[in-house]
Amino acid sequence: MLAGALGALAQAPVHAFPVLWLSFPLLVLLIDPATDAPPLRRLRAAAWVGWCYGFGYFLAGLWWIGSAFLVDAAAFAWLIPVAVTALPAGLALFMALGTAVATLLWRPGPWRIAGLAVALTGSEWLRGHILTGFPWLSFGYGLAATDTLMQTASLVGLNGLTFLAVLLFAAPAAALGRQGRPRDGLAFVGATLLGLAGLAAFGAIRLASANVADVPDVRLRLVQPAIDQALKWLPENRLKNFEDMLALSRGPAPTSDTATADPAADPTTLVVWPETATPFALADDGYALAAAGAAIGPKSILAAGSVRVEPGPDPTAEPRYFNSLLFIDPSGAVRSLYDKVHLVPFGEYVPFQGVLGALGLGSLSNVVGGFSAGTDNRLITLPGLPAFEPLICYEIIFPDEVLAGAARGQRPAFFLNVTNDAWFGDTAGPYQHFAQARLRAVEQGIPLVRDANTGISAIVDGYGKVRQFLPLGARGAVEGPLPGALASTIYGKLGNFPLVLICAIIVICSITVRLRRLH
């Protein structure tokens, strides 16, 4: 557990990735004794080691989840001990699976490091897909702790970074313990250090040659109101919060909440409000829509996060609620919209609603029955803007779910990610979320436009370089041009195919060695 907790320091906001040179070798040395046991006992012992490591890792990395339950403490504070421990305990099961499978590939010397890298890459992929998936704190983010090393994502993506992180940082264990010859282990450690230096050189060269032209005639304004989540939905605050959003949307290059310049002179193309920016259903309020349209320039589009309500299929049915992004023109008309497709379990809906609802468990959103999921992942095209892909909140953390239009032969000019991390206050959560969003930009070479209620709001280019941003907790707006998209990256073209091929070769070689020894 301590080894796992140490490994969590490689994640944002600390980014102390060298700790992985201690954390992963400790994991390998803890697994080693299990491989001497009979088959079933070996699997059980290795799984227990993996679970303990994973529990420590996720507990240290996800403790901030409990902050969300303090927003409505009277209703949810009692769940904090359960949530803060149950989520790490559940996620650690994937780690247990990975270490158990690794023992099936365990061979003396460096081969056991390669086997562990394959097994943990597979278990991390499963964690990102099973039960809607939650790939938060994937090990690969530890290898993306610097701008230079982050460029490797353009080659192999997050799953490839996970494989490389385990392979490179667990390497010292190849020269330790009683597994294999020390000379082979030292050679392997030297090879991995050269490999890491090669990745750093690739990143440095890529950044040195970075030359991104801005998209002409497109100017962005990101509004960050920094409204406390506990105060946001109080009836007495709703009008003031909405008026603050309007004030921050006006005028050229605002630097504070005093921007009141004439919208007619505003050159902004896209104004962005964060997820659920309005404490009411904006699409159903004609006055508010008109006021929102009047607050932006004559050639602007407003992207506003809001709850959207649809009536039920019959008069007796409950209405359906969506976490939506509305695109509003200066006349106040809704030109297009996007409903969030990938919802947060327990945050926006309750899985197995019938059973868990009967036990008194509801979603943190307090929406009756929870939110309904959207069904249309598509690119949005609006006047004055190139086609872009909207992603609400943690939809941005799923590498395999971005590029919604890829199947239609479309590639977005930018990702538009709106979120509300106010639930988690000034903790590690918002920093981790931003780091993961940045990596999507590097993986695909596609700029990121990110707007968050309390931060971090930023314009990020296809190299992951932050062009403009507002820090966590700041109130105001930030303005800037839209960086152009890069050519499709190697990862964007090939996806996980090279990684799957490499892992398959390692598995085949391991099986072949075992069969030869049996004969």
Side-chain angles (χ1 to χ4, degrees):
M1 289 182 186
L2 290 174
L6 179 67
L9 293 175
Q11 301 286 337
V14 182
H15 294 300
F17 71 93
V19 301
L20 294 176
W21 269 307
L22 178 59
S23 179
F24 279 143
L26 283 172
L27 175 62
V28 174
L29 297 178
L30 288 167
I31 295 172
D32 275 341
T35 59
D36 294 332
L40 290 180
R41 189 181 298 174
R42 170 195 299 181
L43 293 174
R44 186 169 65 247
W48 173 242
V49 169
W51 186 89
C52 289
Y53 181 96
F55 183 74
Y57 179 78
F58 292 115
L59 183 65
L62 294 173
W63 60 268
W64 49 266
I65 291 286
S67 302
F69 296 87
L70 292 175
V71 172
D72 187 358
F76 296 108
W78 65 275
L79 282 171
I80 291 177
V82 177
V84 169
T85 56
L87 180 61
L91 296 177
L93 293 174
F94 292 97
M95 187 72 187
L97 175 64
T99 52
V101 171
T103 63
L104 301 177
L105 305 173
W106 215 255
R107 298 291 175 271
W111 273 107
R112 72 198 207 278
I113 310 300
L116 182 66
V118 170
L120 291 187
T121 300
S123 64
E124 285 291 275
W125 183 89
L126 289 174
R127 182 163 70 87
H129 290 80
I130 290 180
L131 297 177
T132 80
F134 189 63
W136 203 282
L137 293 187
S138 287
F139 297 129
Y141 290 113
L143 192 54
T146 69
D147 290 356
T148 300
L149 289 175
M150 188 186 298
Q151 303 309 309
T152 308
S154 67
L155 301 174
V156 297
L158 175 61
N159 295 310
L161 285 178
T162 294
F163 174 82
L164 291 172
V166 178
L167 189 72
L168 296 175
F169 294 117
L176 301 172
R178 48 192 173 79
Q179 298 275 351
R181 296 182 300 178
R183 185 177 60 183
D184 293 342
L186 291 173
F188 181 71
V189 172
T192 58
L193 290 176
L194 287 176
L196 184 61
L199 296 180
F202 166 78
I205 293 170
R206 190 168 191 260
L207 289 175
S209 62
N211 184 18
V212 183
D214 296 330
V215 177
D217 303 322
V218 175
R219 191 156 188 85
L220 310 167
R221 184 197 307 264
L222 312 181
V223 174
Q224 184 170 298
I227 300 172
D228 189 290
Q229 189 65 28
L231 305 176
K232 181 176 180 178
W233 292 85
L234 295 178
E236 61 268 27
N237 292 339
R238 291 187 178 186
L239 180 59
K240 178 184 181 302
N241 291 342
F242 182 62
E243 289 177 340
D244 285 347
M245 296 292 302
L246 297 177
L248 290 169
S249 302
R250 298 186 180 108
T255 56
S256 70
D257 58 357
T258 60
T260 55
D262 182 5
D266 193 341
T268 307
T269 315
L270 179 66
V271 178
V272 187
W273 291 0
E275 178 188 15
T276 56
T278 59
F280 53 86
L282 180 58
D284 295 335
D285 191 323
Y287 171 81
L289 283 174
I296 60 177
K299 297 181 180 180
S300 300
I301 291 289
L302 170 64
S306 178
V307 173
R308 193 174 68 83
V309 186
E310 280 188 0
D314 61 74
T316 62
E318 293 285 351
R320 301 175 68 203
Y321 296 87
F322 296 87
N323 186 351
S324 301
L325 192 54
L326 309 178
F327 300 95
I328 303 165
D329 69 15
S331 71
V334 178
R335 300 291 294 269
S336 187
L337 62 87
Y338 168 73
D339 296 324
K340 186 178 181 181
V341 174
H342 199 139
L343 301 177
V344 180
F346 297 103
E348 294 172 314
Y349 78 101
V350 178
F352 314 110
Q353 174 72 36
V355 176
L356 297 181
L359 298 175
L361 292 177
S363 68
L364 290 173
S365 66
N366 281 328
V367 171
V368 177
F371 284 103
S372 296
T375 57
D376 191 9
N377 268 125
R378 73 187 192 284
L379 302 190
I380 302 291
T381 303
L382 293 166
L385 288 168
F388 62 91
E389 181 170 357
L391 297 160
I392 297 178
C393 190
Y394 90 151
E395 289 183 316
I396 192 73
I397 74 170
F398 296 92
D400 298 334
E401 295 183 18
V402 300
L403 293 187
R408 306 176 186 131
Q410 297 173 295
R411 187 168 183 261
F414 64 98
F415 296 127
L416 177 61
N417 177 222
V418 298
T419 188
N420 179 22
D421 291 345
W423 290 94
F424 308 110
D426 187 7
T427 66
Y431 294 98
Q432 292 172 4
H433 198 182
F434 180 56
Q436 293 172 86
R438 281 181 69 197
L439 199 68
R440 298 293 85 76
V442 179
E443 285 174 340
Q444 303 293 344
I446 294 175
L448 168 70
V449 178
R450 185 178 194 265
D451 191 81
N453 174 16
T454 53
I456 303 166
S457 300
I459 301 172
V460 181
D461 68 19
Y463 294 99
K465 296 170 65 176
V466 179
R467 296 287 197 88
Q468 287 86 20
F469 88 109
L470 281 172
L472 185 64
R475 182 177 184 274
V478 64
E479 192 174 272
L482 172 66
L486 310 182
S488 184
T489 62
I490 291 177
Y491 174 73
K493 294 175 181 177
L494 300 179
N496 290 319
F497 175 75
L499 174 65
V500 172
L501 182 62
I502 291 171
C503 289
I505 291 172
I506 292 173
V507 170
I508 291 171
C509 290
S510 179
I511 293 173
T512 301
V513 170
R514 167 167 286 192
L515 291 176
R516 285 180 177 175
R517 289 185 176 180
L518 290 176
H519 288 83

